[in-house]
Amino acid sequence: MRSTIGRGVAAASLWRHPGLGWLVAALAVGGVAWAALQRPHGPAPAVVRFKVELPPPAQLSKVSPAPVFSPDGRYLAIPAELRGDKRLYLLDLSTGEPRLVPGTEDGGSPAFSSDGRWLAFRSGEKLKKVLVSGGTPIDVANTRTSALGVAWGAPGIVYNPKYGLGLWRISAEGGQPDTVTVPEPGELGHWWPQILPDGETVVFTAYRNTLESSSVEAVSLRTGRRTRLVTG
């Protein structure tokens, strides 16, 4: 299955989710806007477009978030479906060849470590990590949902542990998680976290009964203060 992916915003999964797509797109736009403010003035970076073809019968996932790039731009982690099972593929951009990541059965919501050596993902009721170079996945935390987003940065791994809850943060080595956000009255949960380059800010979706009332927000890991960025 061929899908055109723009570097920085991978749009394949958005086509299948026109409603949630606006929220995910807003998250991406928020991150790009923040980066633009921090970048010195000068020519805008070039946009790179290319096609990704997974080996049949694999196809892009209909439920997991969009593919993600490693921090060094060498790899693209692709949530896929293979014979009805959710799996993860890694595309080496130097060769253009995607490979199935062993041990990622029921896997989704990929996120790279800041050094690009590890890949975190949700698998069933587990948050796991695996070396990009290969190996056996390692359990990091227990969860009760499998596809509400994962982010990995200097502060650790940020994720939603269960539908209806806020965001938690845990060390990449495991241990006791910390609470990052708590849903306010009327909120059904906080999903799709992204850690901004400052290492202190997490952007996420505060989901409510309708998309029109849902919002994209930012929270400071240092102070806990929430800021609404986009409504609807």
Side-chain angles (χ1 to χ4, degrees), residues 117-190:
R117 296 180 59 243
W118 292 87
L119 182 69
F121 61 96
R122 308 288 287 265
S123 179
E125 296 187 349
K126 296 285 186 179
L127 175 64
K128 299 185 176 186
K129 66 177 184 179
V130 65
L131 281 167
V132 170
S133 59
T136 302
I138 301 171
D139 292 351
V140 176
N142 294 320
T143 69
R144 298 185 185 179
T145 51
S146 60
L148 297 180
V150 174
W152 192 346
I157 300 177
V158 177
Y159 65 104
N160 176 293
K162 178 186 176 183
Y163 184 91
L165 294 183
L167 300 176
W168 289 8
R169 174 176 54 173
I170 193 169
S171 165
E173 305 306 317
Q176 184 66 29
D178 299 320
T179 300
V180 175
T181 63
V182 176
E184 298 176 350
E187 294 179 345
L188 301 180
H190 297 162

Side-chain angles (χ1 to χ4, degrees), residues 112-114 151-159 168-174 176-178 180 194-202 219-222:
F112 285 96
S113 60
S114 56
W152 192 346
I157 300 177
V158 177
Y159 65 104
W168 289 8
R169 174 176 54 173
I170 193 169
S171 165
E173 305 306 317
Q176 184 66 29
D178 299 320
V180 175
Q194 293 188 30
I195 301 174
L196 296 188
D198 66 355
E200 295 184 353
T201 308
V202 177
V219 61
S220 169
L221 294 175
R222 182 169 50 86

Side-chain angles (χ1 to χ4, degrees), residues 22-41:
W22 286 108
L23 291 179
V24 180
L27 285 175
V29 170
V32 171
W34 189 95
L37 291 174
Q38 308 304 311
R39 188 174 58 241
H41 294 294

